[in-house]
């Protein structure tokens, strides 16, 4: 017998069904609330509100669990390739070798972007933030593939758009970096794997040979896997709402990129490095900056700390922190910011303010240290997050569109002026 939730309003009892997921999470289904009671709920930031049932990613913030389609992030980060994880998220199962080879080859065939798009890049100033360029370029892809404007056109058309996005996003990302340097664009090389190809397009020059260090491509593979999906975070919720209007996938992913850009979300990885540099330039007095983060009158926050869901630890942060030492040693990089980050973490985790609010390092706290070791510029860090999150956004969009979900349209409680008559300007 499934549970029933009872709500008493003005002496009347209303009953609502309880739904339970495969990991015993429970929700009160209030889809009939307004019809039955005339009331709506209020939950700013949706901290207690579920928007959907999903079979893609499970996370338990209390005990630090993160699984993609049931597989633990620890195992996937250690054993899988990024495209293998992308296939898993989008199509629901780990690919066979034949499926993975076909998927990889199809993506490789779609890494080029239309030559016309190069002039779009050239129109941007060198100081253009690459996230602004990327969001625009991804939406612009829809203008080259008018058949993609109907997201429900056919399974084949949907799969082709998915392959095009997975193939072209790294190219658009690398070209936004080259454009900022006013360096010649490097075309994708089909002989390289996904991560090596990206690094080639980012750092190779037409005048010399460039070989990608396998340590670097392996580090990037791990980072992209760790960022691949995270259930209903801000940018994924954005993708599901924008996609629910039946907008095309390019414009929907562009909206996700824009949401990710914010410093409270994916933009935090850039903010973390800028914060660590600020602390370093200020003499490295970590205690002083922890005090500032606790001071309600100070707008400074410890970027890379805290999380809406993780109230214990972010399993991704643990994996990245371990990888930091390993990768920096292999690359023979000694980054003083790493020492500052570790000291900051230690001081914060021993401080009552952070402990009582369950504030721990999140995925963004250490990721920038690795990106720096890979010579990726700070302004490109959130672009890296977007490349990693793309298969997650696509999988969530696919699940939403194939699940026949209604258009997302929240309600509100109006608190403005009640009815009043128009006043002629001469009488105001
Ligand atoms: C990502 O949702 C996801 O899954 C996101 C993500 C993903 O993979 O998609 O995991 C990626 O976005 C990670 C988060 C990156 N953002 C940052 O690192 C920015 C710094 N962190 C915060 O701004 C904050 O912790 C949030 C935005 C992450 C979470 O904010 P919440 O859940 O709305 O919590 P809150 O702002 O209400 O904070 C609760 C309390 C407040 O203090 P009180 O009012 O209770 O006294 O904790 C304090 C906050 O002031 N607080 C911090 C803090 N984060 C929260 N104080 C100092 N420094 C911080 N970083």
């Amino acid at each position: 017998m499934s549970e029933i939730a009872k709500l008493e309003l003005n002496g009347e009892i209303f009953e609502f069904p309880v739904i339970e997921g495969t990991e015993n999470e429970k929700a009160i289904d209030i889809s009939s609330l307004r019809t039955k009671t005339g009331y709506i709920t209020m939950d700013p930031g949706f901290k207690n509100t579920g928007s959907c049932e999903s079979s893609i990613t499970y996370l338990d913030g209390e005990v630090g669990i993160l699984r993609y389609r049931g597989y633990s992030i620890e195992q996937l980060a250690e054993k899988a390739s990024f495209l293998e994880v992308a296939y898993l998220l989008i199509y629901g199962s780990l690919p066979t070798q034949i499926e993975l080879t076909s998927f990889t080859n199809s993506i490789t065939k779609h890494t080029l972007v239309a030559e016309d798009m190069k002039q779009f890049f050239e129109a941007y100033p060198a100081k253009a933030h690459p996230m602004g360029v990327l969001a625009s370029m991804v939406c612009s892809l829809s203008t080259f593939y008018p058949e993609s404007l109907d997201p429900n056109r056919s399974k084949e058309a949907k799969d082709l758009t998915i392959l095009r996005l997975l193939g072209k996003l790294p190219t658009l990302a690398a070209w936004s970096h080259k454009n900022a340097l006013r360096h010649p664009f490097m075309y994708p090389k089909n002989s390289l794997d996904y991560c090596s190809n990206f690094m080639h397009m980012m750092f190779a020059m037409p005048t010399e040979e460039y070989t990608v260090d396998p340590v670097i491509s392996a580090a990037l593979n791990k980072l992209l896997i760790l960022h691949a999906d995270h259930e209903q975070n801000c940018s994924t919720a954005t993708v599901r709402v924008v996609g629910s209007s039946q907008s095309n996938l390019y414009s929907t992913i562009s909206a996700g990129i824009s949401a990710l850009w914010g410093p409270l979300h994916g933009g935090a990885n850039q903010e973390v490095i800028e914060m660590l540099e600020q602390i370093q330039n200020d003499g490295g007095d970590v205690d002083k900056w922890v005090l500032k983060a606790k001071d309600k009158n100070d707008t400074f926050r410890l970027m890379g700390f805290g999380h809406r869901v993780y109230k214990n630890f972010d399993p991704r942060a643990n994996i990245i922190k371990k990888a930091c030492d390993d990768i920096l040693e292999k690359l023979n990089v000694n980054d003083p910011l790493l020492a500052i980050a570790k000291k900051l973490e230690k001081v914060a985790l021993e401080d009552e303010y952070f402990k009582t609010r369950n504030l721990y390092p999140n995925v963004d706290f250490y990721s920038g240290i690795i990106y720096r070791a890979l010579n990726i510029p700070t302004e490109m860090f959130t672009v890296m997050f977007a490349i990693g999150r793309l298969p997650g956004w696509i999988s969530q969009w696919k699940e939403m569109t194939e699940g026949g979900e209604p258009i997302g349209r929240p309600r509100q409680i109006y608190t403005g002026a009640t009815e009043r008559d128009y006043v002629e300007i001469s009488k105001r």
Side-chain angles (χ1 to χ4, degrees):
M1 159 74 167
S2 58
E3 273 183 83
I4 294 286
K6 293 184 179 179
L7 175 67
E8 180 175 350
L9 272 176
N10 309 319
E12 194 177 350
I13 304 278
F14 299 92
E15 294 190 347
F16 300 94
V18 170
I19 54 177
E20 185 169 346
T22 50
E23 292 286 352
N24 308 315
E25 296 169 303
K26 295 182 178 180
I28 301 167
D29 178 348
I30 57 162
S31 45
S32 61
L33 176 70
R34 192 166 182 275
T35 314
K36 284 181 178 174
T37 70
Y39 284 57
I40 62 168
T41 57
M42 182 60 71
D43 186 20
F46 313 119
K47 295 189 176 185
N48 305 282
T49 297
S51 59
C52 62
E53 294 180 49
S54 176
S55 59
I56 299 168
T57 291
Y58 171 69
L59 57 88
D60 181 328
E62 274 62 43
V63 295
I65 290 174
L66 172 58
R67 298 189 198 121
Y68 298 158
R69 302 280 190 186
Y71 297 97
S72 77
I73 192 66
E74 291 80 6
Q75 289 186 18
L76 291 172
E78 199 50 46
K79 299 175 180 176
S81 71
F82 175 59
L83 288 187
E84 204 177 349
V85 170
Y87 187 99
L88 169 67
L89 287 168
I90 296 168
Y91 296 106
S93 57
L94 284 170
T96 62
Q97 186 56 64
I98 292 171
E99 287 166 336
L100 182 59
T101 304
S102 165
F103 185 62
T104 303
N105 292 344
S106 303
I107 288 168
T108 303
K109 280 203 204 78
H110 291 287
T111 49
L112 270 180
V113 296
E115 277 297 295
D116 294 6
M117 291 192 89
K118 284 171 74 173
Q119 57 189 322
F120 297 179
F121 282 94
E122 283 146 18
Y124 284 102
K127 62 179 185 295
H129 194 289
M131 282 296 277
V133 175
L134 195 66
S136 316
M137 288 297 169
V138 167
C139 198
S140 300
L141 283 173
S142 64
T143 65
F144 289 86
Y145 306 107
E147 72 280 6
S148 70
L149 298 186
D150 172 5
N152 302 311
R153 184 188 180 98
S154 70
K155 181 188 177 313
E156 294 68 29
K158 184 184 285 190
D159 285 341
L160 179 54
T161 301
I162 289 171
L163 292 170
R164 279 177 168 147
L165 265 168
L166 288 165
K168 297 178 195 314
L169 193 70
T171 307
L172 293 171
W175 285 13
S176 63
H177 169 58
K178 286 290 194 186
N179 184 61
L181 299 174
R182 291 321 196 219
H183 283 182
F185 293 154
M186 291 306 293
Y187 285 86
K189 262 177 119 173
N190 290 354
S191 57
L192 297 175
D193 66 67
Y194 198 80
C195 294
S196 304
N197 198 13
F198 173 72
M199 296 305 278
H200 159 76
M201 292 187 284
M202 279 284 286
F203 298 110
M205 293 290 274
T207 46
E208 56 208 29
E209 272 310 302
Y210 175 86
T211 47
V212 183
D213 182 335
V215 172
I216 290 178
S217 46
L220 186 54
N221 180 70
K222 180 171 284 195
L223 280 171
L224 294 181
I225 288 171
L226 292 170
H227 287 80
D229 193 55
H230 213 239
E231 54 126 287
Q232 305 310 313
N233 58 85
C234 176
S235 54
T236 299
T238 300
V239 161
R240 286 186 83 119
V241 167
V242 170
S244 72
S245 73
Q246 297 196 4
S247 186
N248 65 80
L249 184 54
Y250 296 116
S251 58
T252 298
I253 296 301
S254 174
I257 293 170
S258 299
L260 186 73
W261 193 358
L264 295 187
H265 189 16
N269 56 15
Q270 174 176 344
E271 298 279 330
V272 167
I273 291 300
E274 288 168 359
M275 171 187 75
L276 293 174
E277 284 171 337
Q278 193 179 15
I279 295 172
Q280 181 187 40
N281 298 338
D282 182 51
D285 181 353
V286 165
D287 295 308
K288 167 186 166 187
W289 290 87
V290 168
L291 272 176
K292 282 172 65 66
K294 291 158 52 175
D295 179 356
K296 289 300 170 202
N297 301 317
D298 192 322
T299 54
F300 175 77
R301 287 194 129 174
L302 219 44
M303 300 312 277
F305 254 76
H307 199 277
R308 172 62 57 77
V309 178
Y310 289 124
K311 298 308 174 192
N312 189 325
F313 61 92
D314 183 336
R316 302 166 297 175
N318 287 2
I319 296 169
I320 293 175
K321 181 180 177 184
K322 283 194 204 89
C324 263
D325 293 325
D326 176 41
I327 292 160
L328 267 62
E329 189 191 338
K330 281 181 183 165
L331 295 176
N332 198 23
V333 167
N334 175 24
D335 188 343
L337 296 189
L338 180 56
I340 294 176
K342 287 184 173 178
K343 194 174 167 205
L344 198 55
E345 178 188 11
K346 184 173 182 313
V347 170
L349 294 187
E350 290 165 0
D351 185 293
E352 275 314 301
Y353 173 94
F354 292 88
K355 288 200 289 193
T356 52
R357 291 168 177 79
N358 299 310
L359 301 175
Y360 296 86
N362 58 49
V363 68
D364 294 313
F365 190 65
Y366 284 103
S367 55
I369 302 281
I370 297 182
Y371 289 137
R372 273 163 58 97
L374 305 185
N375 288 321
I376 290 170
T378 307
E379 280 215 336
M380 283 289 290
F381 287 6
T382 311
V383 169
M384 302 309 297
F385 196 144
I387 296 172
R389 186 52 53 89
L390 179 61
W393 287 331
I394 290 171
S395 65
Q396 299 269 352
W397 169 82
K398 191 169 181 290
E399 181 179 70
M400 182 275 301
T401 52
E402 292 172 359
E405 291 184 19
I407 186 169
R409 198 257 184 245
R411 291 270 179 170
Q412 64 162 31
I413 292 296
Y414 177 69
T415 57
T418 52
E419 188 172 10
R420 51 186 170 169
D421 292 328
Y422 182 80
V423 177
E424 295 303 327
I425 194 162
S426 58
K427 297 190 180 111
R428 285 177 204 163

